[in-house]
Amino acid sequence: MGRKKQIGTPVGDEKQLGILDAAAAVFMKLGFAGASLDDVSDNYGGASKGIIYYHFRSKTSLFFAVQRRAMELTREAIAGIATGPGPARERLERMAVAHTLLMMEHLDYLRVAAQGLEMHLSGRTTEDERREIASITALRDGNEKLYLGVLNEGVKTGEFRRVNARVAVKPLLGALNWTSRWYHPRDGETSADRKKLAEEIGRFAVHAFLPERVLKSAP
């Protein structure tokens, strides 16, 4: 299996992250119910299930670990931008671009994160699973708060029109996260192609918050 470049990966976690990469690809393709640890083992180069059990006690814990990694990757992609220098409008666009690129480059992780949400909404979970989902949801909410902070700042400075940021952040993230549903890599696609697409989506995301005066003055 081709290994992706990992963001902020501790050296000692390479094997564990390799298992997560393999599991994310399997869960994306087969879904939670259809996947088995044998499938993950095969996708991890035929490693024994014992190696997987050494790091993850069950298929369910592995599934949740993939979701948790998706939330961590998202935070690592956007947190530095959200809390860094620059106008709110510029930071929001850069966050949206980074978020979208992450979706395209780690598509399997982000699709599995959506599967996890659907499992939670379906109600077919145990008490332990609900606790784990709550923990992952807290990570998701933390990422949302980064966007919320930039939106509130932009409203305060007049860069964005006056919106209820707590409401507006939902469709914003919905639009960005939906990339994991419709995006499929094309034959011959390059990193430059993905960046161009992400920048287009980033501009679209910011456009929704611009004041009318700014829209009227645009060429």
Side-chain angles (χ1 to χ4, degrees):
M1 188 187 91
R3 294 281 285 115
K4 294 184 181 70
K5 179 182 179 182
Q6 297 289 352
I7 303 173
T9 301
V11 175
D13 291 344
E14 281 295 327
K15 183 170 289 187
Q16 184 172 336
L17 288 172
I19 295 170
L20 287 176
D21 281 354
V26 168
F27 286 133
M28 180 180 75
K29 182 179 180 181
L30 302 178
F32 175 76
S36 70
L37 289 183
D38 285 325
D39 295 319
V40 176
S41 176
D42 290 343
N43 202 33
Y44 188 50
S48 70
K49 284 196 292 186
I51 293 176
I52 297 174
Y53 278 122
Y54 178 79
H55 293 280
F56 304 97
R57 66 182 182 274
S58 65
K59 183 178 80 167
T60 300
S61 67
L62 180 55
F63 184 63
F64 285 133
V66 170
Q67 294 179 58
R68 181 178 294 278
R69 181 66 176 156
M71 296 302 103
E72 292 169 348
L73 287 168
T74 302
R75 184 173 186 86
E76 290 169 13
I78 65 174
I81 302 170
T83 59
R89 173 180 173 177
E90 177 186 308
R91 279 182 285 138
L92 181 63
E93 184 169 338
R94 288 170 56 211
M95 289 171 70
V97 170
H99 194 141
T100 304
L101 277 174
L102 178 71
M103 290 279 176
M104 293 188 283
E105 293 172 355
H106 291 272
L107 184 61
D108 41 12
Y109 277 94
L110 278 302
R111 280 192 181 167
V112 172
Q115 288 180 28
L117 177 61
E118 289 165 2
M119 174 189 283
H120 174 52
L121 293 175
S122 74
R124 297 192 301 271
T125 54
T126 67
E127 185 176 345
D128 286 345
E129 289 169 349
R130 286 191 291 274
R131 280 196 294 267
E132 186 65 27
I133 289 170
S135 174
I136 294 167
T137 299
L139 294 175
R140 188 191 302 269
D141 290 346
N143 292 336
E144 181 177 305
K145 286 178 182 178
L146 291 171
Y147 279 99
L148 188 61
V150 176
L151 284 175
N152 277 324
E153 183 181 335
V155 170
K156 184 177 180 179
T157 61
E159 296 172 69
F160 301 143
R161 59 190 177 85
R162 300 195 67 80
V163 296
N164 182 332
R166 290 190 177 277
V167 174
V169 73
K170 303 297 185 181
L172 168 63
L173 288 174
L176 297 179
N177 289 332
W178 195 251
T179 303
S180 70
R181 299 303 187 99
W182 61 259
Y183 171 75
H184 296 279
R186 304 186 308 274
D187 290 340
E189 183 179 85
T190 66
S191 58
D193 294 330
R194 290 190 292 273
K195 183 178 180 182
K196 183 177 180 181
L197 177 57
E199 288 172 345
E200 183 65 29
I201 293 171
R203 286 191 293 270
F204 173 82
V206 171
H207 189 87
F209 298 100
L210 298 182
E212 187 175 352
R213 57 179 170 76
V214 174
L215 295 174
K216 286 182 176 180
S217 65

